[in-house]
Amino acid sequence: MTAKSLVSEMMQVQVAIELIELGARLQVLESETELSRARLIRLYKEVRGMSPPKGMLPFSTDWFLTWQPNIHASLFYNIYRCLSEEVGCERLTAFIKAYRLYIEQVLLENADPVLGLTRAWTLVRFFESDLLQLTSCTACRGRFVAHAYSLSQHFVCGICRPPSRAGKTLKARVAKQA
């Protein structure tokens, strides 16, 4: 094994560890690293102390378009886009940094993160596949996640026009704590 390939493998292991710590599923690790499945499973067990969860990854764009997930997905994706397009970060580096910034921002607001790492990764993949796009709100001019090629000339985001049930979960949580 050459020094160059050893460094590359060590970098792959470091990326895998970061992704595992942030909550990545095995399928995400397999897609984003060149490490073998067996090695990733051993690494996952070492970092998390348990086997990786089984099951399919989310595969529908519709989840990202509902009220609260849309706000969180839009926040994350705008951070990701800024890091990758404007700052010039490499794709995976931008993804990890954007997810960390998203979590930090949500926790600063004393809110619960709605977007898990796997969903955030899926969101980026949906954008790369042209299934989703950012659409500007006609009221606040913010850019929000929407179906690709959907009509958007009269789009109003969930922040400017929240649904009637918005905030009910917060009220229930506050009442439960009291």
Side-chain angles (χ1 to χ4, degrees), residues 8-26 28-30 32-53:
S8 175
E9 185 173 340
M10 287 172 45
M11 289 174 54
Q12 292 283 313
V13 169
Q14 184 58 42
V15 166
I17 289 170
E18 268 191 271
L19 290 170
I20 291 167
E21 289 172 344
L22 290 170
R25 300 269 300 269
L26 193 57
V28 174
L29 299 171
E30 287 178 308
E32 297 300 333
T33 68
E34 297 171 6
L35 301 172
S36 70
R37 181 177 179 83
R39 179 102 187 257
L40 289 169
I41 291 171
R42 284 194 312 272
L43 196 57
Y44 194 96
K45 287 178 181 178
E46 188 177 320
V47 172
R48 300 287 275 209
M50 60 185 196
S51 296

Side-chain angles (χ1 to χ4, degrees), residues 25 38 48 60 71 74 88 92 97 109-110 125 135 142 151:
R25 300 269 300 269
R48 300 287 275 209
S60 173
I71 293 167
S74 299
L92 192 54
K97 286 181 178 185
E109 296 297 321
N110 292 321
R125 300 277 294 229
T135 299
L151 298 175

Side-chain angles (χ1 to χ4, degrees), residues 67-68 165-174:
W67 175 68
Q68 192 174 33
R165 71 187 187 292
K168 299 264 196 273
T169 57
L170 177 62
K171 289 178 187 174
R173 187 173 33 184
V174 169

